[in-house]
Amino acid sequence: MCGFPAATDTVTPRQPRGQERVITGNRPTSWAFSDAYVAEDEALRWARDRARAAGLRSVSPGTGAALRLLAASVDAKAIAEIGTGTGVSGIHLLHGMRPDGVLTTVDPEPEHQQFARQAFRASGFASNRARFIPGRALDVLPRLADAGYDLVFCDGDRLEVLEYLAESLRLLRQGGLVVFEGVFANGRTVDSGPQPTEVLRLRELLRAVRESQELVPSLLPVGDGLLCAVKR
């Protein structure tokens, strides 16, 4: 059985760590470095400013970089996004997609989608690279094609995450990815104290994804938590 060394034991490190140990041992510093690793351009900063002014959450730079990577890893030609916001996550997804890829993005607020249109244009994406659908996600998603998407990104109403998961399984091709943003809920998901319904839904989502026989899951500690799963 493995355990911690007794107080009288002498522990000899296998190799000197030096300054590297200080850096990697400081998690907040490492996370901050990770979040700033991929620089964002002026169009993304503009979209972030619009989100802040509207009181909207937007994905962190580190989360955005992860979305680019995930979109590229599945060579995405078709992505469905739940929660357009002002276009921050959409820009990252478009950067990771194939040059002929199309992002279908759904949001109940057409005004927010207008900001996203401007941000996409400022990032150099042609208008035919994105399809904007205003409306409530659970009204729109059933109209999208079965197995027609390489990735589904969910950043909408946390009370509806289990329904988003069910729709995503239908929308995704085999080998496609479903991604949920904000699953840490600022630390409340793992807090043992009483929590609001939306946090309880996130806990149910985490359990459902982990236990699903249809999915290969991973939980990435970027931003406010990025739950990812590949459809078998």
Side-chain angles (χ1 to χ4, degrees):
M1 179 181 294
C2 295
F4 293 106
T8 56
D9 291 345
T10 300
V11 180
T12 303
R14 294 183 179 179
Q15 61 181 28
R17 298 288 185 176
Q19 186 65 25
E20 180 185 354
R21 185 173 186 177
V22 175
I23 293 172
T24 58
N26 187 334
R27 286 191 176 184
T29 300
S30 299
W31 286 336
F33 178 78
S34 173
D35 212 39
Y37 179 66
V38 175
E40 294 192 326
D41 59 20
E42 187 173 340
L44 273 165
R45 291 193 293 271
W46 181 88
R48 285 191 182 284
D49 288 343
R50 301 290 80 73
R52 194 175 301 112
L56 300 174
R57 291 184 302 112
S58 54
V59 300
S60 73
T63 300
L67 291 176
R68 291 192 193 203
L69 176 69
L70 293 170
S73 71
V74 293
D75 194 28
K77 185 175 181 179
I79 291 180
E81 177 185 45
I82 300 171
T84 309
T86 57
V88 176
S89 54
I91 290 174
H92 282 291
L93 289 167
L94 284 164
H95 275 302
M97 296 177 73
R98 291 167 45 168
D100 61 343
V102 176
L103 173 69
T104 297
T105 182
V106 181
D107 198 286
E109 298 294 338
E111 181 182 353
H112 298 162
Q113 292 188 321
Q114 288 303 318
F115 286 131
R117 286 181 191 272
Q118 295 178 55
F120 291 177
R121 192 180 308 119
S123 289
F125 297 110
S127 59
N128 64 356
R129 292 291 311 280
R131 177 171 60 146
F132 294 89
I133 305 179
R136 181 171 170 264
L138 294 183
D139 294 331
V140 174
L141 296 178
R143 306 202 304 263
L144 303 183
D146 291 6
Y149 294 86
D150 305 298
L151 189 153
V152 179
F153 175 57
C154 306
D155 188 17
D157 188 339
R158 289 173 175 168
L159 294 175
E160 298 177 343
V161 290
L162 293 173
E163 289 80 2
Y164 296 161
L165 176 61
E167 286 294 332
S168 296
L169 289 172
R170 180 184 62 80
L171 293 173
L172 285 172
R173 63 165 174 82
Q174 186 177 9
L177 273 167
V178 60
V179 182
F180 287 86
E181 197 278 331
V183 295
F184 290 165
N186 295 316
R188 293 178 298 168
T189 303
V190 296
D191 193 321
S192 59
Q195 298 297 337
T197 304
E198 66 174 33
V199 175
L200 301 182
R201 289 287 183 275
L202 289 173
R203 290 176 180 172
E204 292 178 54
L205 171 70
L206 288 163
R207 188 179 305 112
V209 169
R210 183 180 60 195
E211 296 176 357
S212 172
Q213 298 301 306
E214 296 183 73
L215 297 169
V216 180
S218 181
L219 182 54
L220 306 183
V222 295
D224 196 24
L226 201 63
L227 176 63
C228 313
V230 176
K231 180 180 176 181
R232 294 184 185 273

